[in-house]
Amino acid sequence: MIVDEREHGQILESIHLPTLLASSDVDTETSLRWWHKAVLYEVFLRSFADANDDGEGDIAGLVSRLPYIKDLGVDAVWISPWYVSPMRDGGYDVKNFLDVDPLFGTLEDVQNLIDASHELGLRVVLDLVSNHCSSQHPWFQSALASPEGSKEREWFYFKDGRGEGGNEPPNDWKSIFGGPAWTRTQNPDGTPGQWYFNLFDSSQPDLNWKNEEVLKHFDEILRFWFDRGVDGFRLDAVSAIGKDDDYRDMGFAPDDLYRPDIWGPVPFFDADGVHDVLRRWRRVAREYPTEKFLVGEVVVRDVDRLARYLRRDELQSTLSFDLCKIVWDANAFRQMINTLQSACFERRSWMTWTLSSHDEKRTVSRYSQDGPAEGVLADVTQTGRERARSGYLLALTLPGSACIFQGEELGLWEVTDIPEDKLQDPIYFRTGKQELGRDGCRVPLPWEKEGTSLGFSSSHEAWLPQPRGWADVSVATQLDDTSSTLRFFRSVLALRSTIFNDDEWAFTWDPSPTGVLVLRRGPDFRCVVNFSGEPFQIGPDEEALVSSSPLTHELVIDVNNAAWLRARRSATN
Ligand code: GLC
């Protein structure tokens, strides 16, 4: 997890962006652009909506539900990879970056989607997988068929093994998904060959980003999709494309199976070379007359490293999942927010805040646990539901953009009882079935109150079975209920688009009792989140604009709840 080694403490200074722009070396191109306070809605395509009734979500299904996304009040959709893929890692294993997988549709469907989104005023942000491709990608296939030292092998990380006959992996590095990060190849004559590096699954060989042909191919990929009208890219695991190649051992034990904590402080993450690649991509993005947004999934060890990604000629924003990793605790939230925001202050840049994604356990489930959401999860509680709404009120208050993973607006919970024969996540298999993996947050959405897959498909069963209780939290059910989580999100997002100014870039923490966070933006607006064990009394000079649950008393915010407050206007105003 990211740390701020400089111990910034509170960010107290209020900074007004136009003043700053006039006085600093801020990149004026990135000042006040569409994404500055945009809310992105993450669509995991395979689980969103199924138009052709095969039990798998598709692009036409997404098009049919665009009005729902628009009505939610977001500004953009970030869509999980739709490229041609064997689907060994949910589409993050790409066989052809320049086409659409038939499971999801066609290039024509993509064009329909982009045009229909733009007509509704929604931007389209696509996921770009660059650290690796699929082992079925023609490049990897030709590298396997080519001799050691060939130019084809240079596109990847092929190394000789250690020990007798090269039977040991080149070093002790671990895959993030569990097990070793090296896979042995077979020579065309059937004898054991070199090893290749795979930070994730063995079906996802890492690309060598020092290779000019790899670089050129990705320029082409960016232009291919930008030319079709894509408004930006979420850059998947982008800090991993920079690697030190001294190949030193890290001291991992051979039976050290699952090390998700290796995101960050290891030689195969965040080497300086990544920044040359980001500058190159930003130059490609700048070839277009409309602003293209590059937001990176950046996992690094400290704020100074994070701030480097936000330099004026690199990314406009980073998407941090650090907030998803912390437990429900006021100090933890405050510290993490300060840490991330200080990287932005340093670069005059913007964070994309989120509490959820297709890789994280659902928020209502996480916040229903007493401690970290690890191992067997306890059942969802009312407390968890209230905390999730409160967490979103906080995240949506922060300056910058925000991202909401599909189904969070319905309060869906993590599904922990998916039958084993349906589980797909490579983490489950690579950890010897010790870790359940990420399928539980990827279960297809419930749209209707009834039907085989609650309106996800018209008659087919969904590819991952939905829990029985999801009829009660379906979109149709929640639209009928004014106190539903869906209605809550709609109100919050409608308010958000009007109450914050585009140029309000800073916030302060107001003094507050232990366990209560009070985040101020501007003279009139505060967000109060009650993490403490006692109800929190609001002063009479403030009124609640929206709250996580209905307030039991007009001036009291209950434990686990939150509210957006505005200074009361006097009768004479
Ligand atoms: C990113 C994606 C995740 C994927 C991994 C490997 O972290 O969000 O879903 O498994 O990269 O591509």
Side-chain angles (χ1 to χ4, degrees):
M1 196 175 298
I2 192 167
V3 291
D4 185 354
E5 284 162 349
R6 296 162 307 173
E7 295 290 343
H8 264 278
Q10 286 192 8
I11 297 167
L12 289 170
E13 198 188 352
S14 198
I15 302 169
H16 190 239
L17 190 62
T19 319
L20 198 105
L21 286 171
S23 64
S24 76
D25 65 347
V26 174
D27 177 3
T28 44
E29 184 212 11
T30 63
S31 62
L32 304 182
R33 298 298 179 157
W34 66 263
W35 43 269
H36 273 188
K37 65 169 187 178
V39 178
L40 277 68
Y41 181 77
E42 186 197 346
V43 170
F44 191 74
L45 205 47
R46 197 171 178 193
S47 302
F48 188 68
D50 170 21
N52 66 354
D53 201 22
D54 61 355
E56 312 258 3
D58 46 43
I59 296 169
L62 171 56
V63 173
S64 73
R65 298 290 185 179
L66 281 176
Y68 167 81
I69 297 177
K70 178 69 186 169
D71 290 345
L72 188 57
V74 301
D75 307 282
V77 276
W78 148 28
I79 304 167
S80 62
W82 57 38
Y83 317 105
V84 181
S85 166
M87 298 287 159
R88 290 282 298 273
D89 179 27
Y92 286 87
D93 47 320
V94 181
K95 188 175 166 185
N96 179 1
F97 290 91
L98 301 176
D99 206 347
V100 178
D101 196 279
L103 184 72
F104 296 132
T106 61
L107 281 173
E108 201 184 333
D109 292 332
V110 163
Q111 203 58 60
N112 285 342
L113 170 71
I114 294 171
D115 295 345
S117 302
H118 288 169
E119 263 168 44
L120 287 172
L122 291 168
R123 316 271 176 161
V124 178
V125 175
L126 186 55
D127 219 313
L128 182 68
V129 187
S130 54
N131 178 64
H132 45 264
C133 59
S134 161
S135 52
Q136 292 184 29
H137 192 287
W139 278 20
F140 191 69
Q141 288 300 313
S142 65
L144 284 181
S146 303
E148 289 176 21
S150 59
K151 87 172 177 59
E152 288 82 359
R153 291 213 167 184
E154 281 302 308
W155 297 331
F156 300 91
Y157 293 93
F158 279 89
K159 296 278 287 175
D160 292 334
R162 292 195 292 199
E164 202 188 325
N167 290 335
E168 301 295 323
N171 63 23
D172 69 356
W173 293 358
K174 296 287 171 191
S175 151
I176 283 179
F177 284 174
W182 296 93
T183 304
R184 191 140 201 202
T185 62
Q186 233 186 26
N187 294 321
D189 64 2
T191 55
Q194 286 189 298
W195 298 70
Y196 65 88
F197 181 66
N198 55 273
L199 183 53
F200 296 93
D201 187 45
S202 55
S203 64
Q204 295 167 297
D206 282 44
L207 286 158
N208 174 7
W209 277 91
K210 295 193 177 95
N211 184 284
E212 186 59 25
E213 283 176 279
V214 172
L215 286 156
K216 279 193 183 139
H217 184 46
F218 272 77
D219 292 348
E220 186 196 346
I221 294 166
L222 287 170
R223 291 193 185 102
F224 181 86
W225 296 107
F226 279 150
D227 288 348
R228 280 161 178 76
V230 161
D231 299 290
F233 283 99
R234 175 263 188 187
L235 306 171
D236 180 62
V238 77
S239 41
I241 69 174
K243 293 177 179 67
D244 277 344
D245 34 18
D246 64 358
Y247 297 102
R248 64 182 185 275
D249 279 335
M250 291 300 298
F252 295 129
D255 57 353
D256 212 355
L257 196 59
Y258 186 45
R259 296 294 302 266
D261 56 318
I262 60 175
W263 280 89
V266 283
F268 38 96
F269 261 107
D270 189 33
D272 291 342
V274 63
H275 299 288
D276 296 330
V277 179
L278 297 182
R279 287 189 192 102
R280 182 169 175 138
W281 288 350
R282 186 68 183 273
R283 283 198 296 274
V284 173
R286 282 177 169 157
E287 290 167 7
Y288 292 81
T290 55
E291 200 195 10
K292 305 292 188 188
F293 180 43
L294 297 181
V295 53
E297 182 193 17
V298 174
V299 185
V300 289
R301 60 181 175 272
D302 65 40
V303 168
D304 291 327
R305 301 297 300 184
L306 180 62
R308 290 161 162 245
Y309 288 76
L310 294 165
R311 286 182 283 209
R312 57 159 66 189
D313 52 355
E314 298 190 34
L315 303 180
Q316 288 108 321
S317 182
T318 60
L319 188 59
S320 165
F321 294 98
D322 286 299
L323 273 188
C324 311
K325 312 281 184 206
I326 55 179
V327 294
W328 185 255
D329 173 82
N331 281 337
F333 267 82
R334 179 171 159 146
Q335 180 66 40
M336 185 55 75
I337 290 169
N338 283 351
T339 297
L340 295 169
Q341 186 65 7
S342 56
C344 295
F345 278 4
E346 197 165 299
R347 294 293 170 206
R348 318 294 189 235
S349 187
W350 306 82
M351 188 57 54
T352 300
W353 304 94
T354 190
L355 293 175
S356 52
S357 86
H358 65 287
D359 293 329
E360 305 294 337
K361 297 205 169 53
R362 290 283 187 186
T363 48
V364 295
S365 298
R366 288 207 317 269
Y367 299 145
S368 295
Q369 313 303 309
D370 286 337
E374 290 167 0
V376 181
L377 296 187
D379 285 348
V380 174
T381 60
Q382 183 56 19
T383 299
R385 293 194 180 95
E386 288 174 2
R387 288 176 174 176
R389 288 185 185 200
S390 302
Y392 276 108
L393 272 185
L394 180 59
L396 290 165
T397 306
L398 293 165
S401 45
C403 184
I404 300 168
F405 175 50
Q406 67 181 39
E408 288 289 292
E409 77 282 14
L410 303 175
L412 298 186
W413 56 90
E414 187 77 7
V415 184
T416 51
D417 58 356
I418 299 174
E420 193 180 347
D421 63 341
K422 301 272 184 198
L423 290 175
Q424 310 240 342
D425 190 350
I427 291 180
Y428 178 66
F429 300 101
R430 292 184 64 95
T431 58
K433 306 188 178 177
Q434 283 173 29
E435 292 290 326
L436 212 43
R438 301 160 296 174
D439 294 310
C441 69
R442 301 176 178 181
V443 173
L445 293 194
W447 291 95
E448 305 295 342
K449 297 175 189 172
E450 48 198 27
T452 323
S453 56
L454 300 171
F456 169 69
S457 305
S458 45
S459 65
H460 208 286
E461 286 192 357
W463 67 282
L464 287 175
Q466 300 151 310
R468 279 176 184 278
W470 278 16
D472 298 336
V473 289
S474 69
V475 172
T477 308
Q478 297 206 35
L479 283 176
D480 287 347
D481 174 3
T482 51
S483 67
S484 68
T485 302
L486 176 57
R487 294 293 198 102
F488 163 79
F489 268 90
R490 283 186 171 200
S491 322
V492 172
L493 292 172
L495 265 172
R496 186 181 194 274
S497 64
T498 56
I499 52 179
F500 301 131
N501 293 328
D502 283 349
D503 59 358
E504 258 176 23
W505 185 58
F507 60 86
T508 55
W509 298 108
D510 274 5
S512 58
T514 307
V516 177
L517 291 185
V518 181
L519 197 149
R520 174 180 288 285
R521 286 191 67 184
D524 289 340
F525 178 87
R526 306 200 303 165
C527 170
V528 176
V529 190
N530 189 354
F531 292 85
S532 79
E534 303 289 329
F536 177 76
Q537 185 89 31
I538 317 169
D541 47 350
E542 282 181 309
E543 61 186 342
L545 293 170
V546 65
S547 53
S548 50
S549 310
L551 302 183
T552 44
H553 180 286
E554 199 196 344
L555 298 179
V556 173
I557 298 174
D558 285 328
V559 175
N560 294 316
N561 278 280
W564 281 359
L565 306 178
R566 182 177 58 190
R568 277 185 203 278
R569 299 198 167 127
S570 67
T572 49
N573 282 349

